[in-house]
């Protein structure tokens, strides 16, 4: 593989994207009809990209494993979407959004990509309003904004606590229009199992019909992966149960470098774990930190009484409460970035001040209700409060919510250049599937922003720069030997899984993996623990391939077979995450090495040695992957220790 080439345009930062668009290659309308594009995933990134490419005139195929493109995990995003429109007139700007995102990611992302994200953010809101997305509005009719972590301005547009769902319905309507026009075809209940590479270029995929078990072949001139992140490698996460990393992982095995896999985000406001029976965790929107105050008892004796049930949190006097985020970070208070808030909660609980099971802190709305009235809080967060009460059987209007950090978003992903193209020509990765915009920690409300920026406003330009050289390339017949070879490998893998006929379920292995990942590759990591994780994951992989049991048949609807393939990939990805965390001997963002912290317990970066993107290249089964480094150069922003005090 050649060196990583980011292909960042020349010129001043604020002119790079404009210069790129002014000088890129284009495909004329008549030629667009000759070109086929595959989009894997129908979340905000995939749906917006597919709809945009269809509108431009390309022939598009969209694949999703759900029964409808509307059921992608993007619907779970609650709090909002960032954009630098400065409607509240509180000092926001494209530059400030760019700066906050770079700083929030602990200076581990590419300047040019992040500036472009901030630059196109305003267009996203205009696009979605035109589609009918019902953003919240102020009394005068203007779109409303609220604050999110890591910013001192209000730049987050929202639709109560269901922003992701409303945005996805907007993208779905755009997608449906292209289906009606005939430029786009949707393949639901269909999972990508492999990438087909011909003469070094991505030229198609192998899929499995999840209802019938039929293996199918699809060719194209370019493939776009928009399949989301890999948080479910931890088993318990805020992701949907079906969210997986298999599409991205197969791309990795076909030559696409995987960047910064160790960067996994811990979200601070999740409903705490209730017991070993759980299969997933439920997120409480970060927007709640606008009005909710986070605290634990000041005295361990009070914390112990609360845990035993002999003292209620509402009985505790104000002077006996430790609003630890406000105490430690007075400038940002409860709105510090997610990684900072999560570590602070862990520190308090580890010190013995936790409530509930001991692994929980309070998110209290009493002050806000007294100040604003219950009606205002209900209008802002009513559906979130309702969801909390249904899950916990406690009324958050009367008793403080209990929250604790949990695995949420993953900042790592497939390595892409400025044009969102991977190290495999013709293969593009967008949204959470790539690594590009968030560095070591994503700020709240930035996931929806990146997904829609990539899909609506970036990829439709950059993919043409590649496809302009493919207009003379004829459509590839799926009888090509490369498809034969890929399908044969898939069939052999499925047969191998069924032939094991072991004694343990797929879920049992996933839970084992999740426990190792959370204990050693979770909120806090160290050298000894990471090495232990690698050793244990290698053993889990060996046990999986010798003792897993998959009931049923391959030629039918078989959820256990689906899970088996995904968990097999998660096991390998978990090992890569641990390796990446082991080689990065510093703390930054969501990657916290216990050996590298300040006297105050904050993340301590080592910019001289680790200011790079770590991109891993696959070298074969049971072979150690090779690390490639893309140096991060900061010309326009001052790199310094993060300070939210």
């Amino acid at each position: 593989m050649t060196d990583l080439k980011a292909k960042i345009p020349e010129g001043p930062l604020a002119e790079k994207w404009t210069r790129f668009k002014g000088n890129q290659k284009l495909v004329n309308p008549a030629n667009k009809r000759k070109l086929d594009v595959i989009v894997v995933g129908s979340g905000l990134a995939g749906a917006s990209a597919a709809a945009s490419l269809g509108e431009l005139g390309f022939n598009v195929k969209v694949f999703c494993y759900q029964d409808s493109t509307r059921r992608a995990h993007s619907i779970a995003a609650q709090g909002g979407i960032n954009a630098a429109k400065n409607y509240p007139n509180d000092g926001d700007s494209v530059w400030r959004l760019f700066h906050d995102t770079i700083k929030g990611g602990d200076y581990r992302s590419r300047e040019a990509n992040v500036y472009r994200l901030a630059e196109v953010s305003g267009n996203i809101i205009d696009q979605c309003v035109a589609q009918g997305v019902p953003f919240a509005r102020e009394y005068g009719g203007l779109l409303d904004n609220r604050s999110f972590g890591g910013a001192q301005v209000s730049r987050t547009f929202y639709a109560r606590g269901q922003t992701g769902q409303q945005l996805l319905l907007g993208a779905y309507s755009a997608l449906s229009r292209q289906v009606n026009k005939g430029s786009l075809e949707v393949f639901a209940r269909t999972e990508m199992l492999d990438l087909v590479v011909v003469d070094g270029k991505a030229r198609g995929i192998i899929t499995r019909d999840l209802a019938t078990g039929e293996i199918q072949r699809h060719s194209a001139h370019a493939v776009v992966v928009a399949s989301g992140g890999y948080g479910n490698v931890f088993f318990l996460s805020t992701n949907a149960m079906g969210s997986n990393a298999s599409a991205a992982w197969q791309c990795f095995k076909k030559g696409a470098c995987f960047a910064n896999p160790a960067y996994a985000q811990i979200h601070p406001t999740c409903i705490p774990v209730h017991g070993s029976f759980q299969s997933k965790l439920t997120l409480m929107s970060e927007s709640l930190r606008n009005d909710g105050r986070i605290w634990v008892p000041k005295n361990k004796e009070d914390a112990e009484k609360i845990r035993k049930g002999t003292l209620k949190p509402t009985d505790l006097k104000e002077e006996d409460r430790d609003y630890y985020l406000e105490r430690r970070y007075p400038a940002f208070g409860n709105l510090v970035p997610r990684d900072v808030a999560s570590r602070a909660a862990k520190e308090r609980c580890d010190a013995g001040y936790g409530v509930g099971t001991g692994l929980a802190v309070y998110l209290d709305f009493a002050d806000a209700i007294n100040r604003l009235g219950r009606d205002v809080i209900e209008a802002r967060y009513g559906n979130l409060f309702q969801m909390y009460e249904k899950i916990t059987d406690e009324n958050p209007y009367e008793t403080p919510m209990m929250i604790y950090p949990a695995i949420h978003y993953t900042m790592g992903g497939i390595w892409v250049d400025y044009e969102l193209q991977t190290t495999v020509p013709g293969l593009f990765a967008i949204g959470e599937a790539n690594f590009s915009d968030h560095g070591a920690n994503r700020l709240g409300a930035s996931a929806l922003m990146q997904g829609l920026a990539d899909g609506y406003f970036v990829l439709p330009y950059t993919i043409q720069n590649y496809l302009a050289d493919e207009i003379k390339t004829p459509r590839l017949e799926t009888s090509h030997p490369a498809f034969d070879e890929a399908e044969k490998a898939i069939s052999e893998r499925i047969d191998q899984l069924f032939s094991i006929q072991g004694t343990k379920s797929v879920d049992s292995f996933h839970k084992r993996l999740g426990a190792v990942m959370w204990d050693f590759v979770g909120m806090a990591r160290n050298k000894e623990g990471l090495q232990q994780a690698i050793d244990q994951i290698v053993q889990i992989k060996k046990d999986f391939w010798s003792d897993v049991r998959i009931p049923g048949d391959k030629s039918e609807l078989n959820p256990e077979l689906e899970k088996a393939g995904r968990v097999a990939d998660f096991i390998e990805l978990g090992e890569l995450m641990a390796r990446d965390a082991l080689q990065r001997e510093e703390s930054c963002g969501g990657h916290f090495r216990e050996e590298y912290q300040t006297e105050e317990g904050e993340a301590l970066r080592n910019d001289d040695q680790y200011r790079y993107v770590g991109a891993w290249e696959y070298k074969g089964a049971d072979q150690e992957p090779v690390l490639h480094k893309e140096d991060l150069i900061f010309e326009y922003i001052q790199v310094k220790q993060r300070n939210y005090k």
Side-chain angles (χ1 to χ4, degrees):
M1 192 198 80
T2 55
D3 293 336
L4 299 173
K5 295 179 181 176
K7 295 195 286 191
I8 298 169
E10 297 292 331
L13 185 64
E15 296 177 18
K16 288 183 185 295
W17 181 229
T18 303
R19 287 191 180 191
F20 176 87
K21 291 188 290 183
N23 294 285
Q24 66 164 103
K25 299 171 186 173
L26 296 173
V27 181
N28 79 43
N31 285 331
K32 285 172 185 168
R33 294 192 292 270
K34 302 174 186 176
L35 296 170
D36 306 326
V37 181
I38 283 171
V39 178
V40 181
S42 66
L44 283 179
S48 58
S52 301
L53 294 172
E55 180 69 24
L56 286 170
F58 295 104
N59 304 302
V60 185
K61 289 181 178 180
V62 179
F63 296 84
C64 68
Y65 66 79
Q66 298 93 345
D67 56 0
S68 166
T69 53
R70 288 179 299 174
R71 292 175 66 86
H73 185 57
S74 298
I75 65 165
Q78 300 165 341
I81 176 171
N82 289 332
K85 277 187 165 294
N86 195 27
Y87 280 3
N89 198 29
D90 59 358
D92 201 12
S93 64
V94 168
W95 178 268
R96 192 174 290 276
L97 175 53
F98 157 69
H99 176 272
D100 288 348
T101 305
I102 290 273
K103 178 184 176 184
D106 220 350
Y107 305 96
R108 289 294 177 263
S109 47
R110 236 188 246 144
E111 276 188 338
N113 285 64
V114 177
Y115 191 88
R116 176 176 64 187
L117 176 66
E119 194 177 352
V120 304
S121 65
N123 296 343
I124 298 170
I125 305 304
D126 297 338
Q127 170 88 0
C128 295
V129 168
Q131 291 172 337
V133 173
F135 286 120
R137 292 181 181 270
E138 293 180 322
Y139 178 75
L142 293 176
L143 298 183
D144 196 14
N145 290 95
R146 57 190 179 196
S147 300
F148 257 63
Q152 291 181 303
V153 297
S154 296
R155 64 162 66 103
T156 305
F157 296 78
Y158 64 98
R160 291 193 79 182
Q162 48 184 253
T163 313
Q165 182 175 5
Q166 298 301 331
L167 290 171
L168 190 63
L169 288 172
Y172 174 75
S173 67
L175 195 74
S176 300
R177 182 169 180 268
Q178 298 309 314
V179 172
N180 189 55
K181 281 176 58 180
S183 62
L184 189 151
E185 188 176 3
V186 174
F187 294 82
R189 299 189 187 89
T190 304
E191 183 164 28
M192 171 183 162
L193 297 182
D194 205 359
L195 176 73
V196 178
V197 178
V198 179
D199 297 330
K201 296 181 178 181
R203 292 304 307 274
I205 61 174
I206 304 292
T207 65
R208 180 176 180 269
D209 185 315
L210 298 181
T212 67
E214 181 186 357
I215 305 297
Q216 299 166 334
R217 307 175 179 194
H218 300 273
S219 72
H221 293 88
V223 176
V224 180
V225 174
S227 54
Y230 49 92
N232 273 353
V233 72
F234 288 83
F235 186 71
L236 285 180
S237 82
T238 65
N239 286 204
M241 285 294 291
S243 296
N244 65 86
S246 287
W249 196 245
Q250 301 319 312
C251 294
F252 170 64
K253 288 188 167 183
K254 284 297 180 74
C257 283
F258 206 99
N260 298 339
Y263 292 162
Q265 182 167 80
I266 317 289
H267 197 295
T269 56
C270 181
I271 296 178
V273 174
H274 293 306
S276 59
F277 57 86
Q278 278 183 270
S279 56
K280 77 174 299 295
L281 298 172
T282 304
L283 182 69
M284 289 285 100
S285 169
E286 183 175 318
S287 62
L288 294 170
R289 290 201 275 150
N290 272 284
D291 292 305
R293 300 178 71 194
I294 296 171
W295 64 274
V296 292
K298 270 186 183 174
N299 304 309
K300 287 186 181 179
E301 296 79 12
D302 290 337
E304 193 171 334
K305 288 178 183 177
I306 288 175
R307 290 196 293 269
K308 288 180 178 178
T310 58
L311 182 69
K312 293 180 180 179
T314 49
D315 294 334
L316 219 57
K317 295 178 181 178
E318 190 74 9
E319 58 266 26
D320 294 325
R321 302 178 179 192
D322 178 16
Y323 295 93
Y324 58 87
L325 289 179
E326 298 171 31
R327 170 173 56 82
R328 289 179 61 176
Y329 309 102
F332 281 72
N334 294 296
L335 288 171
V336 291
R338 291 174 176 179
D339 60 320
V340 177
S342 294
R343 281 197 297 276
K346 182 180 187 297
E347 185 275 328
R348 288 290 79 193
C349 290
D350 288 351
Y353 296 91
V355 296
T357 62
L359 294 176
V361 300
Y362 286 124
L363 179 61
D364 196 337
F365 288 85
D367 278 2
I369 291 171
N370 290 335
R371 186 178 74 252
L372 302 169
R374 175 168 168 161
D375 290 349
V376 173
I377 297 302
E378 197 166 345
R380 289 179 181 174
Y381 312 113
N383 58 323
L384 296 171
F385 278 43
Q386 186 181 42
M387 182 168 68
Y388 180 87
E389 186 170 5
K390 283 185 176 180
I391 293 170
T392 65
D393 197 29
E394 287 190 345
N395 184 342
Y397 293 104
E398 298 170 1
T399 303
M401 286 184 180
M402 282 196 294
I403 57 168
Y404 192 71
I407 293 291
H408 181 51
Y409 186 95
T410 47
M411 287 74 65
I414 304 173
W415 184 91
V416 292
D417 59 22
Y418 186 77
E419 299 178 25
L420 306 182
Q421 188 166 210
T422 72
T423 48
V424 176
L427 176 65
F428 295 78
I430 60 176
E432 194 179 355
N434 75 29
F435 87 100
S436 68
D437 291 358
H438 306 298
N441 173 64
R442 176 177 69 79
L443 292 183
S446 287
L448 305 184
M449 176 175 61
Q450 187 214 342
L452 291 180
D454 286 356
Y456 282 136
F457 298 109
V458 179
L459 184 78
Y461 286 96
T462 63
I463 199 170
Q464 288 192 68
N465 206 38
Y466 172 79
L467 290 173
D469 293 329
E470 297 295 314
I471 56 176
K472 291 184 180 179
T473 303
R475 285 193 171 94
L476 187 68
E477 296 295 329
T478 55
S479 57
H480 190 282
F483 282 93
D484 294 338
E485 187 179 332
E487 183 175 336
K488 182 172 178 285
I490 288 297
S491 297
E492 288 175 352
R493 188 186 197 221
I494 292 173
D495 290 340
Q496 185 182 359
L497 284 167
F498 273 107
S499 69
I500 297 167
Q501 289 299 301
T503 62
K504 294 185 174 63
S505 69
V506 175
D507 272 352
S508 69
F509 289 103
H510 198 178
K511 286 180 179 180
R512 270 180 67 189
L513 173 67
V516 171
M517 294 298 295
W518 181 251
D519 289 344
F520 301 118
V521 201
M523 254 195 289
R525 304 155 176 185
N526 57 59
K527 184 176 182 179
E528 183 183 350
L530 289 167
Q531 189 57 61
Q532 196 172 338
I534 293 170
D535 295 341
Q536 290 190 28
I537 293 169
V538 168
Q539 186 61 49
I540 291 171
K541 181 178 179 180
K542 183 179 177 182
D543 294 345
F544 176 89
W545 285 102
S546 62
D547 199 23
V548 73
R549 180 175 179 82
I550 302 172
D553 187 79
K554 65 180 181 181
S555 301
E556 62 182 6
L557 177 66
N558 192 334
E560 286 301 299
L561 175 59
E562 296 167 35
K563 279 194 289 185
R566 296 167 186 173
V567 171
D569 294 333
F570 276 144
I571 293 169
E572 295 177 357
L573 176 53
E575 183 183 346
L576 187 66
M577 291 175 70
R579 286 188 185 279
D580 189 45
L582 185 61
Q583 66 85 25
R584 188 170 283 277
E585 295 182 340
E586 66 165 355
S587 291
C588 57
H591 168 66
F592 191 78
R593 285 283 295 267
E594 292 172 337
E595 307 97 319
Y596 308 101
Q597 54 183 301
T598 66
E599 290 181 4
E600 297 174 319
E602 305 294 344
L604 183 62
R605 297 193 319 270
N606 181 346
D607 292 329
D608 290 340
Q609 288 185 273
Y610 294 98
R611 195 165 67 186
Y612 60 73
V613 176
W616 295 86
E617 180 186 4
Y618 181 72
K619 300 303 283 187
D622 301 317
Q623 301 291 314
E624 286 197 15
V626 172
L627 177 65
H628 299 271
K629 299 176 182 178
E630 178 203 339
D631 291 331
L632 292 169
I633 299 168
F634 293 93
E635 299 179 78
Y636 300 91
I637 209 162
Q638 184 181 356
V639 179
K640 53 188 177 182
Q641 180 70 28
R642 282 194 301 171
N643 184 359
Y644 293 98
K645 297 181 184 298

